[in-house]
Amino acid sequence: MLPRVTSIAGLPTPALVVDTTALAHNLDTMSAALPGARLRPHVKAHKCTSLAKEQARRGHLHFTAATPREIVGMAHAGLGDDLLLANECVEPARLRALADCPARVTVAVDSDETVDAAAANGIREVLVDVNVYLPRCGCRPEDAPRLADRARAAGLDVRGVMGYEGHAVLIADRAEREAKTVHAMERLARVAEAVGGGLVSAGGTGTYDLNTAATEIQAGSYALMDGDYCKLDIPFRRALAIVATVIHTNDRWTVADCGLKAMGMDHGNPSVDDADVLFVSDEHLTFTPHTSVHVGDRVLVWPAHIDPTIAYHERLHLADSLDLDATIIETWSVDLRGWDAVGANRGS
Ligand SMILES: Cc1ncc(COP(=O)(O)O)c(C=O)c1O
């Protein structure tokens, strides 16, 4: 049992802290722009059913997930109205776990193998995932109608298409971001009618207001934001930081106890206000503060990419501001982390 902590400064570090004012601003701003089913929030960004409940409270009852674990966890949290696994899966036990969920589950398919695995393991509904130029999953557009026919012949209901323009979402220049999004969505639209079903699922935080071709947007990062997305001209505020403790200082640099095992580094170094970050190693952040800092002081570290950062942590601590003396209002479990979907949450 952890001792009850009441302020950010009292947390054992490194720890994730959320600014509830910024979070509420982000959730409200997005639900005003994309109300109800126009947004299918992606839970991979936060992996937290308590945060998903805040999104549901604002009218978004359909969710996107990246892992079977996320789907099963959402279903058992009572958030299973309409869950999309926007990712490919061929593992029978995991597909069975999805099929057995107390939820409406739709699975992305992009090949004969993924269609056949879905049909053989009890999945009832699929979306055909079309590659829209991001070098990742998704079938070639010309294969989409054939895959839809194969799915229907196997007894699956085809709800439509999806295509993620991930190569566009972080482009800082708005005109270029829009041009890449339009180009990607033209590719998706060309096959949507032939596939049938009506759903066109796409988009992310960076394209939430540019992607007008999709019937629903799969944004996730908007809720908490990160260093990378904050460089864009979008109206969401950074709401997540890591609180760390200064464990060493000398006349040339300072070290805090927040290394790359506490944050995702795939988008580069984090930032620290009033400081230059030099580098990050396993358990250390080495930086040069512009003001005087002492061993034992707390600092806030802003990660460049929140998704992998949150996946390293067990809890999100909520405070009404990110001042170091701010009071912790509530602590949420990052309960969708990990990959174990089979048997997860049963009975809870
Ligand atoms: C399939 C899919 N849809 C949507 C998103 C958008 O997420 P974000 O809001 O973080 O840009 C992602 C992010 O990687 C994704 O993989």
Side-chain angles (χ1 to χ4, degrees):
M1 185 85 169
L2 291 172
R4 200 173 143 61
V5 172
T6 54
S7 75
I8 290 181
L11 287 170
T13 58
L16 291 181
V17 285
V18 172
D19 177 344
T20 53
T21 309
L23 171 64
H25 163 86
N26 294 344
L27 298 181
D28 292 343
T29 303
M30 184 60 100
S31 58
L34 298 175
R38 280 282 293 126
L39 182 75
R40 185 185 279 279
H42 208 320
V43 301
K44 84 182 179 72
H46 54 68
K47 290 186 179 278
C48 174
T49 56
S50 298
L51 205 161
K53 283 179 184 163
E54 287 298 310
Q55 293 171 311
R57 211 161 61 73
R58 286 163 173 83
H60 312 297
L61 302 177
H62 307 171
F63 288 91
T64 311
T67 66
R69 170 77 192 94
E70 291 167 2
I71 298 270
V72 172
M74 289 288 286
H76 286 278
L79 293 162
D81 280 24
D82 189 338
L83 302 176
L84 167 64
L85 181 68
N87 203 359
E88 279 60 25
C89 179
V90 286
E91 194 187 317
R94 285 185 172 157
L95 288 166
R96 284 264 157 222
L98 299 184
D100 293 345
C101 267
R104 179 179 186 184
V105 176
T106 302
V107 172
V109 290
D110 70 352
S111 62
D112 290 353
E113 291 82 354
T114 47
V115 169
D116 296 353
N121 291 291
I123 298 298
R124 290 171 288 279
E125 297 180 280
V126 294
L127 275 190
V128 178
D129 185 6
V130 180
N131 182 281
V132 290
Y133 307 114
L134 173 71
R136 210 171 70 179
C137 295
C139 67
R140 293 182 307 171
E142 55 272 34
D143 292 335
R146 186 187 59 74
L147 286 174
D149 290 345
R150 186 182 182 99
R152 290 194 177 101
L156 295 164
D157 186 7
V158 179
R159 297 185 66 192
V161 290
M162 73 158 259
Y164 176 52
E165 71 278 24
H167 58 295
V169 293
L170 279 168
I171 296 173
D173 180 77
R174 187 175 171 84
E176 194 191 332
R177 193 160 81 243
E178 180 166 24
K180 286 240 161 57
T181 302
V182 168
H183 184 230
M185 289 304 110
E186 279 168 1
R187 191 180 224 207
L188 195 56
R190 275 201 294 278
V191 296
E193 208 168 307
V195 166
L199 274 189
V200 180
S201 196
T205 297
T207 58
Y208 84 101
D209 61 340
L210 298 173
N211 188 331
T212 51
T215 58
E216 58 179 36
I217 297 293
Q218 302 176 352
S221 299
Y222 77 96
L224 295 170
M225 291 293 281
D226 54 34
D228 253 12
Y229 264 134
C230 281
K231 292 177 193 151
L232 266 51
D233 51 353
I234 49 178
F236 308 109
R237 300 179 189 153
R238 60 185 191 175
L240 178 93
I242 311 168
V243 59
T245 305
V246 173
I247 55 170
H248 172 87
T249 188
N250 62 42
D251 56 347
R252 288 165 60 206
W253 64 79
T254 295
V255 181
D257 63 349
C258 176
L260 56 83
K261 289 179 180 169
M263 76 186 113
M265 293 290 299
D266 58 317
H267 290 187
N269 280 340
S271 61
V272 176
D273 292 344
D274 292 325
D276 296 312
V277 170
L278 298 181
F279 69 98
V280 180
S281 44
D282 279 16
E283 298 289 357
H284 302 99
L285 170 75
T286 302
F287 63 109
T288 50
H290 302 165
T291 52
S292 126
V293 168
H294 302 98
V295 171
D297 286 354
R298 300 302 171 104
V299 289
L300 290 177
V301 179
W302 303 94
H305 191 191
I306 54 161
D307 303 43
T309 299
I310 294 173
Y312 283 126
H313 292 258
E314 289 160 311
R315 284 171 277 275
L316 296 172
H317 301 281
L318 278 67
D320 55 10
S321 76
L322 293 188
D323 297 328
L324 289 171
D325 56 359
T327 303
I328 306 289
I329 303 163
E330 208 178 338
T331 296
W332 289 343
S333 168
V334 183
D335 53 347
L336 302 177
R337 62 204 284 270
W339 290 270
D340 187 8
V342 182
N345 288 20
R346 203 143 288 174
S348 65

